[in-house]
Short mmCIF file of all heavy atoms in Angstrom, two decimals:
data_model
loop_
_atom_site.label_atom_id
_atom_site.label_comp_id
_atom_site.label_asym_id
_atom_site.label_seq_id
_atom_site.Cartn_x
_atom_site.Cartn_y
_atom_site.Cartn_z
N MET A 1 -6.89 -15.86 32.05
CA MET A 1 -7.90 -15.02 31.39
C MET A 1 -7.27 -14.34 30.15
O MET A 1 -7.86 -14.37 29.11
CB MET A 1 -8.42 -14.05 32.40
CG MET A 1 -9.51 -13.16 31.86
SD MET A 1 -10.96 -14.17 31.58
CE MET A 1 -12.16 -12.91 31.44
N ILE A 2 -6.07 -13.74 30.28
CA ILE A 2 -5.46 -13.08 29.15
C ILE A 2 -5.06 -14.16 28.10
O ILE A 2 -5.22 -13.93 26.91
CB ILE A 2 -4.20 -12.31 29.62
CG1 ILE A 2 -4.62 -11.10 30.47
CG2 ILE A 2 -3.37 -11.86 28.42
CD1 ILE A 2 -3.47 -10.37 31.06
N GLN A 3 -4.64 -15.30 28.54
CA GLN A 3 -4.28 -16.39 27.64
C GLN A 3 -5.49 -16.78 26.84
O GLN A 3 -5.39 -16.99 25.64
CB GLN A 3 -3.77 -17.58 28.42
CG GLN A 3 -3.18 -18.67 27.63
CD GLN A 3 -1.70 -18.36 27.23
OE1 GLN A 3 -1.18 -17.33 27.61
NE2 GLN A 3 -1.17 -19.25 26.47
N ASP A 4 -6.69 -16.88 27.44
CA ASP A 4 -7.89 -17.24 26.74
C ASP A 4 -8.27 -16.23 25.69
O ASP A 4 -8.69 -16.57 24.59
CB ASP A 4 -9.06 -17.37 27.69
CG ASP A 4 -8.96 -18.60 28.59
OD1 ASP A 4 -8.23 -19.54 28.20
OD2 ASP A 4 -9.55 -18.65 29.63
N SER A 5 -8.12 -14.94 25.97
CA SER A 5 -8.46 -13.95 24.98
C SER A 5 -7.44 -13.91 23.84
O SER A 5 -7.88 -13.66 22.70
CB SER A 5 -8.54 -12.53 25.66
OG SER A 5 -7.27 -12.16 26.17
N LYS A 6 -6.18 -14.26 24.12
CA LYS A 6 -5.22 -14.33 23.03
C LYS A 6 -5.52 -15.52 22.17
O LYS A 6 -5.32 -15.48 20.95
CB LYS A 6 -3.81 -14.34 23.60
CG LYS A 6 -3.32 -12.98 24.08
CD LYS A 6 -1.87 -12.98 24.35
CE LYS A 6 -1.43 -11.56 24.70
NZ LYS A 6 -0.03 -11.46 24.85
N ASP A 7 -5.93 -16.60 22.79
CA ASP A 7 -6.33 -17.80 22.01
C ASP A 7 -7.47 -17.49 21.03
O ASP A 7 -7.44 -17.81 19.90
CB ASP A 7 -6.72 -18.94 23.01
CG ASP A 7 -7.15 -20.19 22.29
OD1 ASP A 7 -6.54 -20.53 21.25
OD2 ASP A 7 -8.09 -20.82 22.79
N GLU A 8 -8.47 -16.76 21.54
CA GLU A 8 -9.61 -16.38 20.71
C GLU A 8 -9.20 -15.44 19.61
O GLU A 8 -9.64 -15.55 18.46
CB GLU A 8 -10.73 -15.75 21.56
CG GLU A 8 -11.47 -16.73 22.44
CD GLU A 8 -12.25 -17.77 21.62
OE1 GLU A 8 -12.91 -17.42 20.66
OE2 GLU A 8 -12.15 -18.94 21.99
N ALA A 9 -8.30 -14.51 19.92
CA ALA A 9 -7.80 -13.56 18.91
C ALA A 9 -7.00 -14.35 17.86
O ALA A 9 -7.14 -14.04 16.66
CB ALA A 9 -6.90 -12.53 19.57
N GLY A 10 -6.24 -15.32 18.29
CA GLY A 10 -5.49 -16.12 17.33
C GLY A 10 -6.37 -16.89 16.39
O GLY A 10 -6.06 -17.04 15.21
N LYS A 11 -7.49 -17.34 16.88
CA LYS A 11 -8.47 -18.03 16.03
C LYS A 11 -8.98 -17.11 14.95
O LYS A 11 -9.15 -17.47 13.84
CB LYS A 11 -9.59 -18.54 16.90
CG LYS A 11 -10.55 -19.44 16.22
CD LYS A 11 -11.71 -19.90 17.08
CE LYS A 11 -11.30 -20.61 18.27
NZ LYS A 11 -12.41 -21.13 19.10
N PHE A 12 -9.20 -15.86 15.33
CA PHE A 12 -9.69 -14.86 14.35
C PHE A 12 -8.55 -14.48 13.40
O PHE A 12 -8.84 -14.31 12.22
CB PHE A 12 -10.13 -13.64 15.17
CG PHE A 12 -10.61 -12.48 14.30
CD1 PHE A 12 -11.82 -12.56 13.64
CD2 PHE A 12 -9.79 -11.41 14.08
CE1 PHE A 12 -12.24 -11.51 12.82
CE2 PHE A 12 -10.21 -10.34 13.26
CZ PHE A 12 -11.42 -10.38 12.65
N TRP A 13 -7.34 -14.34 13.87
CA TRP A 13 -6.26 -13.85 13.01
C TRP A 13 -5.48 -14.90 12.26
O TRP A 13 -4.66 -14.55 11.44
CB TRP A 13 -5.22 -13.07 13.90
CG TRP A 13 -5.70 -11.72 14.38
CD1 TRP A 13 -6.52 -10.92 13.67
CD2 TRP A 13 -5.34 -11.08 15.56
NE1 TRP A 13 -6.72 -9.72 14.41
CE2 TRP A 13 -6.01 -9.82 15.53
CE3 TRP A 13 -4.53 -11.43 16.64
CZ2 TRP A 13 -5.87 -8.93 16.58
CZ3 TRP A 13 -4.37 -10.50 17.68
CH2 TRP A 13 -5.07 -9.27 17.64
N ILE A 14 -5.76 -16.19 12.45
CA ILE A 14 -4.96 -17.21 11.87
C ILE A 14 -5.00 -17.15 10.30
O ILE A 14 -4.02 -17.57 9.67
CB ILE A 14 -5.35 -18.60 12.35
CG1 ILE A 14 -4.25 -19.60 11.99
CG2 ILE A 14 -6.70 -19.03 11.82
CD1 ILE A 14 -4.30 -20.90 12.75
N LEU A 15 -6.03 -16.67 9.73
CA LEU A 15 -6.13 -16.59 8.30
C LEU A 15 -5.66 -15.27 7.72
O LEU A 15 -5.77 -14.98 6.54
CB LEU A 15 -7.56 -16.84 7.83
CG LEU A 15 -8.09 -18.23 8.18
CD1 LEU A 15 -9.57 -18.37 7.79
CD2 LEU A 15 -7.27 -19.36 7.55
N SER A 16 -5.13 -14.37 8.61
CA SER A 16 -4.70 -13.05 8.17
C SER A 16 -3.20 -12.98 8.16
O SER A 16 -2.48 -13.73 8.88
CB SER A 16 -5.23 -11.98 9.14
OG SER A 16 -6.58 -12.03 9.19
N GLU A 17 -2.61 -12.07 7.39
CA GLU A 17 -1.19 -11.86 7.43
C GLU A 17 -0.86 -11.08 8.74
O GLU A 17 -1.51 -10.06 9.01
CB GLU A 17 -0.80 -10.97 6.24
CG GLU A 17 0.66 -10.75 6.09
CD GLU A 17 1.40 -12.02 5.64
OE1 GLU A 17 0.85 -12.84 4.90
OE2 GLU A 17 2.55 -12.15 6.08
N PRO A 18 0.06 -11.58 9.53
CA PRO A 18 0.37 -10.91 10.80
C PRO A 18 0.86 -9.52 10.59
O PRO A 18 1.75 -9.27 9.73
CB PRO A 18 1.47 -11.79 11.42
CG PRO A 18 1.68 -12.94 10.53
CD PRO A 18 0.86 -12.79 9.33
N GLN A 19 0.32 -8.57 11.30
CA GLN A 19 0.69 -7.19 11.20
C GLN A 19 1.62 -6.73 12.31
O GLN A 19 2.29 -5.71 12.15
CB GLN A 19 -0.53 -6.26 11.24
CG GLN A 19 -1.57 -6.58 10.18
CD GLN A 19 -1.04 -6.25 8.78
OE1 GLN A 19 -0.43 -5.27 8.57
NE2 GLN A 19 -1.25 -7.18 7.86
N ASN A 20 1.66 -7.48 13.43
CA ASN A 20 2.52 -7.08 14.51
C ASN A 20 2.82 -8.31 15.41
O ASN A 20 2.30 -9.41 15.15
CB ASN A 20 1.86 -5.93 15.35
CG ASN A 20 0.47 -6.32 15.81
OD1 ASN A 20 0.28 -7.44 16.31
ND2 ASN A 20 -0.45 -5.41 15.75
N PHE A 21 3.62 -8.09 16.45
CA PHE A 21 4.03 -9.19 17.31
C PHE A 21 2.80 -9.78 18.08
O PHE A 21 2.72 -10.99 18.27
CB PHE A 21 5.08 -8.68 18.32
CG PHE A 21 5.48 -9.74 19.33
CD1 PHE A 21 6.31 -10.78 18.96
CD2 PHE A 21 4.98 -9.70 20.61
CE1 PHE A 21 6.66 -11.79 19.83
CE2 PHE A 21 5.30 -10.73 21.54
CZ PHE A 21 6.19 -11.72 21.15
N GLU A 22 1.90 -8.90 18.48
CA GLU A 22 0.73 -9.42 19.23
C GLU A 22 -0.07 -10.39 18.43
O GLU A 22 -0.56 -11.37 18.90
CB GLU A 22 -0.14 -8.22 19.70
CG GLU A 22 -1.33 -8.64 20.52
CD GLU A 22 -2.19 -7.45 20.92
OE1 GLU A 22 -2.21 -6.41 20.17
OE2 GLU A 22 -2.90 -7.56 21.95
N MET A 23 -0.25 -10.08 17.13
CA MET A 23 -1.00 -11.00 16.21
C MET A 23 -0.25 -12.34 16.13
O MET A 23 -0.88 -13.41 16.20
CB MET A 23 -1.18 -10.38 14.83
CG MET A 23 -2.22 -9.27 14.83
SD MET A 23 -2.33 -8.51 13.17
CE MET A 23 -3.26 -9.77 12.32
N MET A 24 1.09 -12.30 15.90
CA MET A 24 1.87 -13.51 15.75
C MET A 24 1.80 -14.33 17.03
O MET A 24 1.63 -15.57 17.01
CB MET A 24 3.28 -13.19 15.42
CG MET A 24 3.47 -12.63 14.03
SD MET A 24 5.19 -12.49 13.46
CE MET A 24 5.91 -11.50 14.76
N GLU A 25 1.87 -13.65 18.21
CA GLU A 25 1.82 -14.36 19.51
C GLU A 25 0.47 -15.02 19.68
O GLU A 25 0.38 -16.18 20.13
CB GLU A 25 2.10 -13.38 20.61
CG GLU A 25 2.12 -14.02 22.02
CD GLU A 25 2.36 -13.04 23.11
OE1 GLU A 25 1.89 -11.87 22.98
OE2 GLU A 25 2.93 -13.44 24.12
N ALA A 26 -0.60 -14.34 19.36
CA ALA A 26 -1.95 -14.86 19.53
C ALA A 26 -2.17 -16.09 18.64
O ALA A 26 -2.76 -17.09 19.07
CB ALA A 26 -3.01 -13.76 19.22
N VAL A 27 -1.71 -16.04 17.39
CA VAL A 27 -1.81 -17.16 16.47
C VAL A 27 -1.00 -18.34 16.98
O VAL A 27 -1.50 -19.47 16.98
CB VAL A 27 -1.44 -16.76 15.07
CG1 VAL A 27 -1.31 -18.01 14.12
CG2 VAL A 27 -2.41 -15.83 14.46
N ASP A 28 0.21 -18.11 17.52
CA ASP A 28 1.00 -19.19 18.10
C ASP A 28 0.30 -19.82 19.30
O ASP A 28 0.26 -21.07 19.42
CB ASP A 28 2.36 -18.68 18.52
CG ASP A 28 3.29 -18.41 17.38
OD1 ASP A 28 3.03 -18.93 16.26
OD2 ASP A 28 4.32 -17.68 17.55
N ILE A 29 -0.30 -19.03 20.16
CA ILE A 29 -1.04 -19.55 21.29
C ILE A 29 -2.24 -20.43 20.82
O ILE A 29 -2.45 -21.48 21.33
CB ILE A 29 -1.52 -18.41 22.23
CG1 ILE A 29 -0.32 -17.80 22.96
CG2 ILE A 29 -2.58 -18.93 23.22
CD1 ILE A 29 -0.66 -16.49 23.66
N TYR A 30 -2.94 -19.91 19.82
CA TYR A 30 -4.06 -20.68 19.27
C TYR A 30 -3.60 -22.01 18.68
O TYR A 30 -4.17 -23.07 18.97
CB TYR A 30 -4.81 -19.86 18.20
CG TYR A 30 -5.87 -20.58 17.52
CD1 TYR A 30 -7.01 -21.04 18.20
CD2 TYR A 30 -5.82 -20.89 16.19
CE1 TYR A 30 -8.02 -21.77 17.59
CE2 TYR A 30 -6.84 -21.59 15.52
CZ TYR A 30 -7.88 -22.02 16.25
OH TYR A 30 -8.92 -22.70 15.62
N ARG A 31 -2.54 -21.98 17.84
CA ARG A 31 -1.98 -23.18 17.26
C ARG A 31 -1.58 -24.17 18.34
O ARG A 31 -1.88 -25.39 18.28
CB ARG A 31 -0.79 -22.89 16.33
CG ARG A 31 -1.17 -22.28 15.05
CD ARG A 31 0.06 -22.04 14.24
NE ARG A 31 -0.27 -21.49 12.90
CZ ARG A 31 0.49 -20.77 12.23
NH1 ARG A 31 1.74 -20.57 12.60
NH2 ARG A 31 0.12 -20.31 11.09
N ASN A 32 -0.90 -23.69 19.36
CA ASN A 32 -0.42 -24.57 20.44
C ASN A 32 -1.59 -25.13 21.21
O ASN A 32 -1.54 -26.28 21.69
CB ASN A 32 0.50 -23.82 21.35
CG ASN A 32 1.86 -23.53 20.74
OD1 ASN A 32 2.28 -24.27 19.88
ND2 ASN A 32 2.53 -22.47 21.17
N SER A 33 -2.74 -24.35 21.32
CA SER A 33 -3.88 -24.91 22.04
C SER A 33 -4.53 -26.09 21.33
O SER A 33 -5.22 -26.90 21.95
CB SER A 33 -4.91 -23.80 22.28
OG SER A 33 -5.61 -23.52 21.06
N LEU A 34 -4.25 -26.19 20.04
CA LEU A 34 -4.74 -27.31 19.22
C LEU A 34 -3.60 -28.23 18.81
O LEU A 34 -3.72 -28.98 17.81
CB LEU A 34 -5.51 -26.79 18.02
CG LEU A 34 -6.77 -26.06 18.34
CD1 LEU A 34 -7.42 -25.46 17.10
CD2 LEU A 34 -7.80 -26.92 19.05
N SER A 35 -2.52 -28.21 19.51
CA SER A 35 -1.34 -29.05 19.30
C SER A 35 -0.78 -28.94 17.92
O SER A 35 -0.31 -29.92 17.34
CB SER A 35 -1.67 -30.54 19.58
OG SER A 35 -2.18 -30.70 20.87
N ASN A 36 -0.85 -27.73 17.35
CA ASN A 36 -0.35 -27.46 16.01
C ASN A 36 -0.92 -28.41 14.93
O ASN A 36 -0.29 -28.69 13.94
CB ASN A 36 1.19 -27.51 15.97
CG ASN A 36 1.82 -26.30 16.64
OD1 ASN A 36 1.41 -25.18 16.39
ND2 ASN A 36 2.76 -26.56 17.53
N SER A 37 -2.12 -28.87 15.20
CA SER A 37 -2.79 -29.82 14.30
C SER A 37 -3.59 -29.04 13.24
O SER A 37 -4.58 -28.41 13.52
CB SER A 37 -3.71 -30.77 15.04
OG SER A 37 -4.54 -31.50 14.18
N GLY A 38 -3.11 -29.13 11.99
CA GLY A 38 -3.86 -28.47 10.90
C GLY A 38 -5.26 -29.00 10.78
O GLY A 38 -6.19 -28.21 10.50
N ASN A 39 -5.47 -30.26 11.01
CA ASN A 39 -6.79 -30.87 10.96
C ASN A 39 -7.69 -30.29 12.02
O ASN A 39 -8.82 -29.93 11.75
CB ASN A 39 -6.69 -32.38 11.10
CG ASN A 39 -7.96 -33.06 10.74
OD1 ASN A 39 -8.69 -32.64 9.88
ND2 ASN A 39 -8.25 -34.19 11.43
N ALA A 40 -7.18 -30.15 13.27
CA ALA A 40 -7.98 -29.64 14.37
C ALA A 40 -8.31 -28.17 14.11
O ALA A 40 -9.44 -27.71 14.35
CB ALA A 40 -7.22 -29.83 15.65
N ILE A 41 -7.31 -27.42 13.61
CA ILE A 41 -7.59 -25.95 13.30
C ILE A 41 -8.60 -25.86 12.24
O ILE A 41 -9.57 -25.05 12.34
CB ILE A 41 -6.23 -25.29 12.90
CG1 ILE A 41 -5.28 -25.21 14.11
CG2 ILE A 41 -6.52 -23.92 12.35
CD1 ILE A 41 -3.86 -24.82 13.73
N LEU A 42 -8.52 -26.59 11.18
CA LEU A 42 -9.52 -26.60 10.07
C LEU A 42 -10.93 -26.93 10.60
O LEU A 42 -11.87 -26.23 10.31
CB LEU A 42 -9.10 -27.51 8.96
CG LEU A 42 -10.03 -27.52 7.75
CD1 LEU A 42 -10.13 -26.18 7.10
CD2 LEU A 42 -9.58 -28.59 6.79
N LYS A 43 -11.03 -27.98 11.37
CA LYS A 43 -12.33 -28.36 11.95
C LYS A 43 -12.87 -27.21 12.84
O LYS A 43 -14.07 -26.96 12.77
CB LYS A 43 -12.20 -29.64 12.72
CG LYS A 43 -12.08 -30.83 11.92
CD LYS A 43 -12.02 -32.09 12.77
CE LYS A 43 -11.89 -33.36 11.96
NZ LYS A 43 -11.74 -34.52 12.80
N ASP A 44 -12.03 -26.60 13.61
CA ASP A 44 -12.46 -25.54 14.49
C ASP A 44 -12.94 -24.32 13.70
O ASP A 44 -14.01 -23.79 13.99
CB ASP A 44 -11.35 -25.10 15.43
CG ASP A 44 -11.79 -24.21 16.53
OD1 ASP A 44 -12.82 -24.44 17.10
OD2 ASP A 44 -11.06 -23.24 16.86
N ILE A 45 -12.25 -23.96 12.66
CA ILE A 45 -12.65 -22.84 11.83
C ILE A 45 -13.94 -23.16 11.07
O ILE A 45 -14.89 -22.33 11.04
CB ILE A 45 -11.50 -22.41 10.90
CG1 ILE A 45 -10.38 -21.83 11.69
CG2 ILE A 45 -12.01 -21.43 9.85
CD1 ILE A 45 -9.13 -21.57 10.91
N VAL A 46 -14.02 -24.32 10.48
CA VAL A 46 -15.19 -24.69 9.70
C VAL A 46 -16.40 -24.79 10.61
O VAL A 46 -17.48 -24.29 10.27
CB VAL A 46 -14.95 -26.03 8.93
CG1 VAL A 46 -16.26 -26.57 8.37
CG2 VAL A 46 -13.95 -25.84 7.84
N PHE A 47 -16.26 -25.36 11.76
CA PHE A 47 -17.40 -25.48 12.72
C PHE A 47 -17.91 -24.10 13.10
O PHE A 47 -19.08 -23.85 13.13
CB PHE A 47 -16.96 -26.25 13.96
CG PHE A 47 -18.06 -26.33 14.99
CD1 PHE A 47 -19.16 -27.16 14.78
CD2 PHE A 47 -17.99 -25.60 16.14
CE1 PHE A 47 -20.18 -27.23 15.73
CE2 PHE A 47 -19.03 -25.61 17.03
CZ PHE A 47 -20.11 -26.44 16.87
N ARG A 48 -16.98 -23.14 13.39
CA ARG A 48 -17.37 -21.83 13.78
C ARG A 48 -18.11 -21.15 12.61
O ARG A 48 -19.18 -20.47 12.82
CB ARG A 48 -16.16 -20.98 14.15
CG ARG A 48 -15.67 -21.23 15.53
CD ARG A 48 -14.44 -20.37 15.84
NE ARG A 48 -14.71 -18.94 15.63
CZ ARG A 48 -15.19 -18.08 16.52
NH1 ARG A 48 -15.42 -18.51 17.75
NH2 ARG A 48 -15.39 -16.83 16.21
N GLU A 49 -17.72 -21.34 11.39
CA GLU A 49 -18.37 -20.72 10.23
C GLU A 49 -19.77 -21.26 10.05
O GLU A 49 -20.71 -20.54 9.88
CB GLU A 49 -17.53 -20.96 9.00
CG GLU A 49 -18.17 -20.33 7.72
CD GLU A 49 -18.13 -18.81 7.76
OE1 GLU A 49 -17.29 -18.24 8.42
OE2 GLU A 49 -19.02 -18.23 7.12
N ILE A 50 -19.93 -22.60 10.22
CA ILE A 50 -21.24 -23.20 10.09
C ILE A 50 -22.14 -22.73 11.22
O ILE A 50 -23.33 -22.34 10.99
CB ILE A 50 -21.12 -24.71 10.14
CG1 ILE A 50 -20.47 -25.24 8.88
CG2 ILE A 50 -22.50 -25.38 10.32
CD1 ILE A 50 -20.06 -26.73 8.90
N LYS A 51 -21.61 -22.61 12.42
CA LYS A 51 -22.41 -22.10 13.58
C LYS A 51 -22.82 -20.68 13.37
O LYS A 51 -24.01 -20.37 13.62
CB LYS A 51 -21.60 -22.25 14.86
CG LYS A 51 -22.31 -21.90 16.11
CD LYS A 51 -21.44 -22.15 17.35
CE LYS A 51 -22.15 -21.75 18.60
NZ LYS A 51 -21.31 -21.94 19.78
N ILE A 52 -21.92 -19.82 12.87
CA ILE A 52 -22.26 -18.42 12.63
C ILE A 52 -23.33 -18.32 11.58
O ILE A 52 -24.28 -17.58 11.73
CB ILE A 52 -20.99 -17.66 12.27
CG1 ILE A 52 -20.07 -17.54 13.46
CG2 ILE A 52 -21.34 -16.27 11.70
CD1 ILE A 52 -18.70 -17.01 13.13
N ASN A 53 -23.19 -19.09 10.48
CA ASN A 53 -24.21 -19.05 9.42
C ASN A 53 -25.53 -19.55 9.96
O ASN A 53 -26.58 -19.01 9.58
CB ASN A 53 -23.76 -19.88 8.25
CG ASN A 53 -22.70 -19.23 7.45
OD1 ASN A 53 -22.53 -18.02 7.48
ND2 ASN A 53 -21.96 -19.99 6.69
N PHE A 54 -25.56 -20.59 10.73
CA PHE A 54 -26.77 -21.10 11.30
C PHE A 54 -27.49 -20.03 12.20
O PHE A 54 -28.64 -19.86 12.07
CB PHE A 54 -26.51 -22.38 12.13
CG PHE A 54 -27.75 -22.98 12.75
CD1 PHE A 54 -28.70 -23.59 11.97
CD2 PHE A 54 -27.96 -22.90 14.13
CE1 PHE A 54 -29.87 -24.13 12.49
CE2 PHE A 54 -29.10 -23.42 14.67
CZ PHE A 54 -30.04 -24.03 13.87
N LEU A 55 -26.71 -19.38 13.04
CA LEU A 55 -27.29 -18.37 13.88
C LEU A 55 -27.83 -17.17 13.05
O LEU A 55 -28.87 -16.63 13.38
CB LEU A 55 -26.25 -17.83 14.88
CG LEU A 55 -25.83 -18.87 15.92
CD1 LEU A 55 -24.66 -18.29 16.82
CD2 LEU A 55 -27.01 -19.29 16.81
N SER A 56 -27.15 -16.86 11.97
CA SER A 56 -27.61 -15.77 11.11
C SER A 56 -28.93 -16.10 10.42
O SER A 56 -29.86 -15.30 10.30
CB SER A 56 -26.57 -15.48 10.03
OG SER A 56 -25.39 -15.00 10.58
N ILE A 57 -29.06 -17.39 10.04
CA ILE A 57 -30.30 -17.88 9.42
C ILE A 57 -31.45 -17.81 10.43
O ILE A 57 -32.54 -17.39 10.08
CB ILE A 57 -30.13 -19.30 8.83
CG1 ILE A 57 -29.18 -19.24 7.61
CG2 ILE A 57 -31.48 -19.89 8.47
CD1 ILE A 57 -28.74 -20.57 7.11
N GLN A 58 -31.18 -18.19 11.66
CA GLN A 58 -32.23 -18.16 12.67
C GLN A 58 -32.72 -16.75 12.93
O GLN A 58 -33.91 -16.54 13.21
CB GLN A 58 -31.70 -18.72 14.00
CG GLN A 58 -31.58 -20.23 14.01
CD GLN A 58 -31.13 -20.74 15.34
OE1 GLN A 58 -30.31 -20.13 16.03
NE2 GLN A 58 -31.63 -21.90 15.75
N GLU A 59 -31.86 -15.75 12.81
CA GLU A 59 -32.26 -14.32 13.03
C GLU A 59 -33.26 -13.92 11.95
O GLU A 59 -34.12 -13.08 12.17
CB GLU A 59 -31.02 -13.42 13.03
CG GLU A 59 -30.17 -13.64 14.25
CD GLU A 59 -28.89 -12.81 14.19
OE1 GLU A 59 -28.72 -12.01 13.27
OE2 GLU A 59 -28.06 -12.98 15.09
N ILE A 60 -33.10 -14.47 10.73
CA ILE A 60 -33.99 -14.12 9.66
C ILE A 60 -35.40 -14.58 9.93
O ILE A 60 -36.36 -13.89 9.63
CB ILE A 60 -33.46 -14.64 8.31
CG1 ILE A 60 -32.12 -14.01 7.95
CG2 ILE A 60 -34.46 -14.47 7.18
CD1 ILE A 60 -31.44 -14.58 6.78
N PHE A 61 -35.51 -15.79 10.43
CA PHE A 61 -36.83 -16.38 10.67
C PHE A 61 -37.23 -16.14 12.05
O PHE A 61 -37.83 -16.13 12.79
CB PHE A 61 -36.78 -17.88 10.38
CG PHE A 61 -36.49 -18.15 8.97
CD1 PHE A 61 -35.24 -18.58 8.56
CD2 PHE A 61 -37.46 -17.98 7.99
CE1 PHE A 61 -34.95 -18.89 7.20
CE2 PHE A 61 -37.17 -18.24 6.65
CZ PHE A 61 -35.93 -18.70 6.29
#
């Protein structure tokens, strides 16, 4: 359970400059969960952005 929350935090923090050890650890866990694949990380981030934008548009209508 803690591992899952750190993975999610790492997904959020991967594009930020690490401010502390917890952030670096979470990003490492996230990267490892995607086998350190830049392509997989990019697809995951892009997919989340599209999904978030789609949900925001649905709220308007």
Side-chain angles (χ1 to χ4, degrees):
M1 184 70 163
I2 292 174
Q3 190 81 2
D4 290 339
S5 63
K6 285 192 176 185
D7 179 39
E8 288 296 315
K11 189 183 299 184
F12 177 76
W13 286 329
I14 196 162
L15 298 176
S16 302
E17 186 71 32
Q19 302 294 317
N20 55 43
F21 177 76
E22 183 180 26
M23 287 177 76
M24 290 189 306
E25 182 183 32
V27 170
D28 285 342
I29 290 169
Y30 175 64
R31 285 183 179 156
N32 289 333
S33 75
L34 295 174
S35 303
N36 288 311
S37 168
N39 192 34
I41 291 168
L42 181 61
K43 285 181 180 178
D44 191 41
I45 291 171
V46 169
F47 176 74
R48 282 181 51 93
E49 181 67 27
I50 290 169
K51 185 177 178 182
I52 290 168
N53 285 339
F54 179 71
L55 293 175
S56 297
I57 290 169
Q58 283 183 326
E59 289 175 7
I60 294 171
F61 295 105

